[in-house]
Amino acid sequence: MTKLGLIAGGGTLPISLAHHCRSTGRPLFVVRLRGFADPELAAFDGADLGVAELGKGIRALRRAGCEAVCFAGIVTRPEFRDLTPDLRGLAALPGAIKAARLGDDGLLTFLIGEFEKEGFLVEGAHQVMGDLTLPAGPLGRLSPGAPHLADIERALLVARTIGGLDVGQGAVCCDGLILAVEAQEGTDAMLRRVSELPEAIRGVEGRRRGVLAKVCKPGQETRIDLPTIGPATVRRAADAGLAGIAGETGRLLVLEREATVALADALGLFIVGVS
């Protein structure tokens, strides 16, 4: 197995990937991004670097013998004027600023290109850990009923539409009414907004209605920034009175799968993969 350089932001995904590599015997080196990476990742061989220290990161990965890299975890878009890049990062900065004007997808594609130019193979999280993605059909013990199917279809349509504009990856629909779309605030914040809407237009505990749909943006680089759900998503969806969560088969990451499914079952929500 090629040695993997895990470029780690925040959240649980990098932790899951690191433990997966350890359990399967894949050699691993973790680049922990300062201000984002979880302290738990200090238990793995690696280095702590700033997001603009591109040259230091590439040199560290090469010294460690990494042939492939994987970007995983939450990293908020930086204020370019506040960065302190090294020389390699400084050389890439004009291209990064130009790419950022095209949206998040443009910036992420540019970042991947910088590592590919240096000879690294870029792997998606779902390629490193094959059972991360949402399978077809219901994931837990609950399935969407007939009243939910139209909401799923409409929420998916709206999510794909805003994704085409590089706005976000998710939408909430209840009885045909779009309650919210995701932008830069993220899924959890969007669901909190839904939970504050009048109960007349959304579900409540004991009478759950509506769905959250999360999709890839059309033309999205799937090796980085695939949409994700986890226990926090399920909890927020339940608080918002939703009946379930839908995503595209093979194109949605399910973090902490056992805990996510168990929580959805306990709270009475379905999770379903659609083609």
Side-chain angles (χ1 to χ4, degrees), residues 174-244:
C174 181
D175 295 340
L177 180 67
I178 297 298
L179 301 185
V181 296
E182 179 189 26
Q184 291 300 308
E185 80 276 30
T187 303
D188 288 353
M190 174 185 67
L191 291 173
R192 281 196 295 270
R193 286 194 283 115
V194 174
S195 69
E196 295 167 357
L197 292 173
E199 293 183 359
I201 61 171
R202 64 175 179 87
V204 294
E205 186 176 359
R207 186 172 177 264
R208 298 197 172 280
R209 297 183 294 151
V211 298
L212 163 67
K214 296 199 69 174
V215 301
C216 279
K217 300 171 185 176
Q220 179 173 331
E221 171 55 74
T222 58
R223 291 175 293 176
I224 190 169
D225 196 35
L226 276 179
T228 64
I229 63 169
T233 318
V234 173
R235 176 69 66 183
R236 295 291 186 195
D239 291 344
L242 299 184

Side-chain angles (χ1 to χ4, degrees), residues 233-260:
T233 318
V234 173
R235 176 69 66 183
R236 295 291 186 195
D239 291 344
L242 299 184
I245 300 169
E248 295 174 313
T249 300
R251 290 163 65 87
L252 176 73
L253 302 182
V254 183
L255 309 184
E256 302 176 65
R257 178 170 301 210
E258 289 186 9
T260 298

Side-chain angles (χ1 to χ4, degrees), residues 98-190:
K98 182 179 180 181
R101 296 193 185 106
L102 302 175
D104 289 345
D105 288 346
L107 180 58
L108 295 174
T109 299
F110 173 82
L111 182 61
I112 285 177
E114 290 298 296
F115 279 83
E116 288 181 327
K117 283 192 297 187
E118 297 290 343
F120 293 100
L121 173 69
V122 179
E123 298 182 22
H126 60 297
Q127 295 169 310
V128 175
M129 188 173 172
D131 62 351
L132 270 176
T133 57
L134 182 66
L139 187 57
R141 63 179 178 81
L142 300 175
S143 301
H148 307 127
L149 299 180
D151 280 344
I152 291 173
E153 183 176 356
R154 183 159 173 77
L156 288 169
L157 173 63
V158 172
R160 291 188 185 108
T161 300
I162 64 168
L165 299 172
D166 200 14
V167 172
Q169 298 175 312
V172 175
C173 181
C174 181
D175 295 340
L177 180 67
I178 297 298
L179 301 185
V181 296
E182 179 189 26
Q184 291 300 308
E185 80 276 30
T187 303
D188 288 353
M190 174 185 67

